[in-house]
Amino acid sequence: MLIWNLLLSAALTAGPPDFEAQTVDGQAAVGRVVRLDAGELVLETAGGPSKFALSTLAMLSRKTAPPAAQTKASAWIELVDQSSLPATAYTVQGGTARVALVSGQNLEIPTKAIRWVRFAAEPDGDGKLTKQWSEITESKAAGDLLVVRKSGALDYLEGVQGDIDADTCNFQLDNESIPVKRPKVEGVVYFHATAPELSEPVGRLVAADGSRVAMRTVQLVDDRLKISTPAGVSLELALNDVAKFDFSSGKIAFLSDLEPESATSVPFLGFAEEPQALRDYYRFGRDRDFEHNPLRLDGKVYRKGLSLSSRTALVYKLPGKFRLFRTVIGIDDSVRETGDVRLEIKGDGKTLWQGDVRGSDPARELELKVEGMKRLEILVDYGAGLDIGDRLDLCDARVTK
């Protein structure tokens, strides 16, 4: 009986994973992915098939963590479409890179589709080197960059990168060929005279091995994903290795991911010169409450949102062409017995909603039209209880198309 139970448990564990689909307008469903392509997602749920047009999706997240990758990356490759691929081998001959991915797939990628390659495990644990690498990759160079590590810091040569084998990076500097031993090389940044014209991805995925792939097309075939990226790279990935798909770009923007144009907080009891610790305490929270705990309303935990004290005023410059502002408002469960605030939301100076929010009230959903508006203003003012328990949560606060 014990052996049978173990076999049954292993069979169930090895089955296709469940994913949760979340739409731009807040709908959700959980089930097994039976179809996924550039037009539609179909989940097999407990209540039957649920279909979603990809244009309506914000996120598709795995309910349980995928198994960790068994192979360590020795190189990280970033494509010109911002896809990031972990690899165990990287060589170049005649302008074509031969890449062995951590997933086991072998690819041939023209270097014109590669932004950079870094020969270091990620993360390397050295904040200084990571910052230097970022600065080098963002620099406005007029040629390829060969980046080397010297005396605990990064330096680079500018020229023309040639072939790369397991031992040597052949680099041309001032018409002179310089073979550089591979262990000395931190990475290569490829020069592109003009920015490539790329189609918009339908979404991006994150895999257990750390891959982040922009998807121009995607199709699920026998529990394997066939993907082409905007840079023209084709690859396959097992659905079982995917952590999440993000389809939100251009459709949805969470306020907690945006930097406000202005943010002011005025404590009820002020000081002529406010201590920094006091200013930090009253500063609005992103995706956490003021004690750095998850946001919670009516017993439900929210992953995204803002936590605001009275009196706080935020102004956001709205990105893109969005139609609606959606949020769930309420006094955080940690202080809801005493909380009482006055909330006002404006768009371009016009009041969209105002009212009292008390801890005795249930959480409330708001959906406000912001089409054509350039700025969103949020003011949390003192209520009848002055500032006692004034911890307002704007959960899942987002603008959508």
Side-chain angles (χ1 to χ4, degrees):
M1 180 63 71
L2 177 61
I3 295 176
W4 171 252
N5 288 338
L6 289 173
L7 290 173
L8 179 61
S9 176
L12 291 173
T13 303
D18 277 351
F19 282 80
E20 180 179 11
Q22 295 178 322
T23 65
V24 172
D25 61 5
Q27 298 181 52
V30 176
R32 183 171 60 88
V33 178
V34 294
R35 178 180 174 185
L36 176 62
D37 56 36
E40 188 178 51
L41 163 73
V42 180
L43 290 180
E44 186 62 46
T45 72
S50 291
K51 298 181 179 181
F52 303 89
L54 229 60
S55 60
T56 67
L57 282 178
M59 197 75 66
L60 180 63
S61 305
R62 183 168 164 153
K63 293 294 290 181
T64 57
Q70 298 298 310
T71 307
K72 296 289 186 181
S74 59
W76 284 83
I77 302 155
E78 180 166 305
L79 305 181
V80 294
D81 57 23
Q82 298 184 323
S83 295
S84 178
L85 305 175
T88 58
Y90 181 91
T91 60
V92 176
Q93 184 175 12
T96 298
R98 290 172 173 80
V99 179
L101 297 181
V102 165
S103 64
Q105 185 177 3
N106 295 315
L107 301 178
E108 290 192 356
I109 306 174
T111 55
K112 66 181 180 181
I114 299 174
R115 184 166 173 250
W116 52 254
V117 56
R118 188 179 183 188
F119 303 118
E122 189 180 74
D124 59 18
D126 191 330
K128 183 181 74 172
L129 293 185
T130 298
K131 182 180 179 183
Q132 289 179 350
W133 175 261
S134 179
E135 290 171 348
I136 291 170
T137 59
E138 296 296 335
S139 63
K140 303 298 182 183
D144 297 331
L145 302 181
L146 182 72
V147 185
V148 296
R149 189 183 297 203
K150 294 196 309 184
S151 303
L154 300 184
D155 198 0
Y156 62 87
L157 301 172
E158 184 175 321
V160 178
Q161 179 61 54
D163 290 350
I164 299 174
D165 58 31
D167 303 312
T168 307
C169 290
N170 295 288
F171 196 73
Q172 193 173 76
L173 180 65
D174 297 331
N175 296 319
E176 180 182 353
S177 182
I178 304 175
V180 182
K181 294 298 183 183
R182 180 91 170 243
K184 296 182 178 180
V185 177
E186 180 76 12
V188 174
V189 183
Y190 290 99
F191 171 70
H192 302 284
T194 57
E197 294 185 6
L198 303 174
S199 59
E200 282 292 321
V202 297
R204 296 178 181 272
L205 72 78
V206 178
D209 62 13
S211 300
R212 288 168 169 79
V213 182
M215 302 178 295
R216 181 176 63 86
T217 63
V218 58
Q219 186 174 18
L220 180 65
V221 180
D222 296 330
D223 291 328
R224 292 191 65 82
L225 296 163
K226 296 181 180 294
I227 300 166
S228 66
T229 80
V233 176
S234 297
L235 64 153
E236 290 189 17
L237 193 67
L239 180 63
N240 195 52
D241 292 333
V242 175
K244 69 177 181 179
F245 300 83
D246 185 350
F247 299 103
S248 65
S249 179
K251 304 175 190 174
I252 183 171
F254 286 93
L255 296 195
S256 59
D257 294 332
L258 303 177
E259 194 63 35
E261 193 172 56
S262 67
T264 58
S265 296
V266 182
F268 183 70
L269 295 176
F271 297 84
E273 293 186 8
E274 292 178 0
Q276 182 63 44
L278 185 65
R279 289 199 297 269
D280 291 342
Y281 180 77
Y282 279 94
R283 180 173 173 79
F284 70 97
R286 302 175 194 253
D287 304 330
R288 288 290 186 271
D289 67 12
F290 283 79
E291 278 69 43
H292 305 290
N293 298 314
L295 304 176
R296 189 186 295 269
L297 293 178
D298 290 346
K300 180 178 178 180
V301 174
Y302 290 84
R303 187 177 61 87
K304 303 292 292 181
L306 300 174
S307 181
L308 307 170
S309 64
S310 55
R311 183 177 192 265
T312 295
L314 301 177
V315 179
Y316 288 92
K317 185 176 181 181
L318 295 179
K321 296 180 180 179
F322 291 98
R323 296 188 305 109
L324 299 171
F325 171 62
R326 291 185 169 102
T327 187
V328 180
I329 64 172
I331 301 296
D332 192 87
D333 282 2
S334 62
V335 291
R336 65 177 307 164
E337 291 184 5
T338 55
D340 186 340
V341 304
R342 180 74 176 175
L343 173 64
E344 184 172 15
I345 301 174
K346 294 182 178 181
D348 288 350
K350 176 185 176 182
T351 298
L352 305 178
W353 190 91
Q354 62 179 342
D356 296 319
V357 184
R358 303 179 181 88
S360 57
D361 300 330
R364 180 185 313 176
E365 293 187 20
L366 296 182
E367 181 177 288
L368 309 174
K369 294 181 180 180
V370 295
E371 189 169 11
M373 296 179 180
K374 296 181 179 180
R375 281 173 175 78
L376 184 71
E377 305 165 51
I378 299 171
L379 173 64
V380 179
D381 212 340
Y382 304 110
L386 302 181
D387 70 339
I388 300 175
D390 284 4
R391 298 291 183 266
L392 177 72
D393 292 344
L394 270 65
C395 296
D396 285 345
R398 65 207 186 276
V399 284
T400 65
K401 284 193 171 180

